[in-house]
Amino acid sequence: MAEQLYDIIIVGGGPAGLSAAYSAWENGAKKILVLERDREAGGILQQCIHNGFGLHHFKEELTGPGYAQRCYDLVKDKPEIEILVDTMVLSVNPDKTVTAVSPAHGLMKVQGKTIILTMGCRERTRGAIRIPGYRPAGVFTAGAAQRMVNMEGYLPGKKIVILGSGDIGLIMARRMTLEGCKVQAVLEICPFSNGLTRNMVQCLYDYDIPLYLSHTITAIHGKDRVNGITAAKVDDHMKPIPGTEFDIDCDTLLLSVGLIPENELSRGLGLAMHPLTNGPIVDQHRETSIPGIFAAGNVVHVHDLVDFVSEEAEIAGKYAALKAQEQLPEDVADVKVEAIDEVRTCVPQHVRATAEGETIRLFMRVRKPMKKVRLTAKSGDDTLLTKVLPVAKPSEMIAVNVPAEKAKGHHADWTVSVTLTSSTYLVLSLRSLNSSIEYTVSR
């Protein structure tokens, strides 16, 4: 395949990549290439056969494959959009050249006016959390077990323990129960669950599956095959408390201990990376530290809802298309966005302010669960917006808009911070030289 020039090259053909491609097409991009390493587009959603997807984005409850199909249907008949599957991207260069390899085309190099990175995320493995013990068969990540059961028709075991209460782990607790397996316990090192509330109810409580909060695994037993684990309660520093150990019999251990953005290509590019999200630092258009290279979805920060992934990808697709057509408005200031104290992360990490102004959408995660919170936006003494939230949880994204008419005019350098000002409030402040915008969460 000879080197070709595209308006936009999208790395990753999951829901983010497909949504970005459709948005780019809607905004005038004439030649779009999507590169997907799997045998078909759709990403991880292909193995998520449960429902609950699409309520925000498509206004309809869909299964994972159903959501992926909706995204694919939007782009499949567009002659301007080319999708290559079974294609592994080897490198992306700052000059927007992409080197990839596939059985059909061999080694190929393509050139883009802009690039969108939508590689998604991957699971942490046993090696990342350093559980002592032998290395027997029967230890899987929850996602690997999900693929085995839902796509390949194999059961990983019959007597299950799950470490971590992330959404994939919770969903697999229900899935394995429905397959006739016995889920002995779900263990969570944090004092709160890291899954969505609906998954806690529908996957654990409805099936009477025990959940041990503030617990971890201190040993895995068995040489050829797992035959049990030792669990223990942890202290405030997440260290096992001596004397609290107990054993649980099992033949399978599933790990649901967090997701990591898939950013080897991003690091190879030399993009500025955020230490907490483990993804590229982006502006409100999802443009990275290298002009013309955009990133969206789980590769930027891990989402709890695929609907938000599509929403962010559509932003990236729109502005990558405008960038390729040299239609982006010139920015007049760069506003820093910094999350501190009780709010752990905020994306975008900076805002390129324009003279015309635009709505700025911020995505935040808090450090710990809080109830009865009020979100208020202020500029000096002026209230920009207020929003009441019954619950704020680390596992659930908080998304708010700074309206264009309110944000317009704050073109000096800003420091955006989220800080706990008292036992009552969480404050997100966007400070310029003369005024500030504050998001206040009360509890």
Side-chain angles (χ1 to χ4, degrees):
M1 187 175 185
E3 184 171 336
Q4 297 186 45
L5 177 63
Y6 292 86
D7 287 343
I8 300 172
I9 299 173
I10 300 172
V11 183
L18 297 175
S19 297
Y22 181 68
S23 177
W25 175 82
E26 282 190 311
N27 286 278
K30 301 300 182 185
K31 198 170 184 183
I32 303 163
L33 176 64
V34 180
L35 301 174
E36 169 55 47
R37 67 185 178 187
D38 211 342
R39 293 167 293 181
E40 55 189 12
I44 197 69
L45 289 182
Q46 300 286 18
Q47 67 188 50
C48 302
I49 64 173
H50 54 280
N51 59 8
F53 301 92
L55 291 170
H56 296 275
H57 193 66
F58 290 112
K59 310 303 180 187
E60 182 180 351
E61 188 173 26
L62 303 168
T63 64
Y67 190 103
Q69 186 66 49
R70 289 291 185 90
C71 292
Y72 182 72
D73 287 344
L74 292 173
V75 301
K76 66 179 181 180
D77 296 324
K78 305 292 186 296
E80 298 87 351
I81 301 175
E82 180 182 359
I83 301 175
L84 295 182
V85 297
D86 207 10
T87 302
M88 171 67 75
V89 174
L90 303 178
S91 66
V92 180
N93 295 325
D95 64 357
K96 321 296 187 305
T97 59
V98 176
T99 303
V101 65
S102 75
H105 301 288
L107 187 67
M108 60 183 182
K109 184 176 287 187
V110 288
Q111 176 81 45
K113 295 179 182 178
T114 60
I115 304 287
I116 306 178
L117 304 176
T118 59
M119 294 88 70
C121 59
R122 66 175 185 268
E123 295 177 282
R124 294 182 189 273
T125 62
R126 177 183 176 181
I129 57 176
R130 301 178 181 177
I131 302 175
Y134 295 103
R135 299 173 62 85
V139 180
F140 304 90
T141 63
Q146 185 181 59
R147 183 179 182 90
M148 288 176 64
V149 176
N150 293 346
M151 298 188 72
E152 298 170 9
Y154 294 102
L155 281 180
K158 284 288 190 178
K159 196 180 293 185
I160 317 295
V161 169
I162 299 174
L163 178 61
S165 62
D167 288 312
I168 300 176
L170 297 178
I171 288 164
M172 282 308 294
R174 176 179 62 184
R175 187 75 180 96
M176 299 305 291
T177 300
L178 293 174
E179 288 293 335
C181 303
K182 174 64 176 176
V183 179
Q184 303 283 69
V186 175
L187 306 169
E188 171 57 57
I189 196 170
C190 295
F192 51 83
S193 168
N194 283 300
L196 293 172
T197 301
R198 73 183 187 199
N199 286 334
M200 289 291 296
V201 173
Q202 296 172 3
C203 300
L204 291 191
Y205 302 156
D206 286 355
Y207 294 91
D208 294 323
I209 296 172
L211 171 64
Y212 294 88
L213 297 175
S214 298
H215 281 75
T216 192
I217 292 175
T218 58
I220 298 173
H221 306 301
K223 288 188 177 181
D224 297 327
R225 175 80 191 196
V226 174
N227 58 37
I229 60 96
T230 296
K233 189 173 177 61
V234 299
D235 59 22
D236 292 341
H237 302 288
M238 296 188 178
K239 301 295 183 183
I241 301 173
T244 64
E245 298 90 350
F246 59 95
D247 293 334
I248 302 177
D249 291 334
C250 64
D251 61 19
T252 303
L253 172 62
L254 303 186
L255 303 177
S256 178
V257 291
L259 300 169
I260 308 170
E262 191 82 63
N263 269 309
E264 282 70 25
L265 292 175
S266 306
R267 293 188 179 91
L269 262 168
L271 297 180
M273 308 291 287
H274 194 276
L276 294 180
T277 63
N278 291 312
I281 292 173
V282 296
D283 65 15
Q284 78 272 27
H285 302 148
R286 299 313 183 263
E287 190 169 16
T288 67
S289 57
I290 297 180
I293 295 181
F294 296 74
N298 287 334
V299 79
V300 175
H301 59 144
V302 176
H303 294 67
D304 49 290
L305 297 176
V306 69
D307 306 68
F308 282 161
V309 168
S310 290
E311 181 182 333
E312 285 199 336
E314 288 175 350
I315 294 171
K318 172 183 177 179
Y319 287 99
L322 295 178
K323 183 92 170 184
Q325 299 168 77
E326 299 183 349
Q327 295 179 5
L328 270 184
E330 184 177 352
D331 57 272
V332 297
D334 194 2
V335 181
K336 184 180 179 182
V337 180
E338 182 182 4
I340 61 173
D341 294 336
E342 292 303 314
V343 171
R344 189 170 187 267
T345 60
C346 183
V347 174
Q349 291 90 357
H350 68 110
V351 171
R352 301 186 192 275
T354 62
E356 295 82 4
E358 62 183 287
T359 298
I360 307 299
R361 189 156 173 82
L362 301 177
F363 292 84
M364 296 175 285
R365 285 190 187 273
V366 296
R367 290 186 182 275
K368 61 186 180 182
M370 295 173 289
K371 294 182 178 181
K372 298 179 181 178
V373 297
R374 186 178 72 252
L375 188 65
T376 305
K378 293 183 178 180
S379 177
D381 295 330
D382 298 330
T383 298
L384 302 181
L385 65 90
T386 183
K387 184 176 181 180
V388 176
L389 302 172
V391 175
K393 296 178 60 180
S395 58
E396 298 179 9
M397 196 84 73
I398 299 173
V400 294
N401 288 337
V402 180
E405 63 274 15
K406 297 291 186 178
K408 184 178 179 180
H410 293 271
H411 296 157
D413 285 344
W414 295 351
T415 298
V416 183
S417 62
V418 184
T419 181
L420 187 64
T421 57
S422 69
S423 61
T424 306
Y425 295 101
L426 262 145
V427 178
L428 168 63
S429 302
L430 288 72
R431 291 190 177 87
S432 69
L433 294 179
N434 301 315
S435 62
S436 68
I437 303 174
E438 293 187 345
Y439 288 86
T440 306
V441 181
S442 66
R443 64 177 179 177

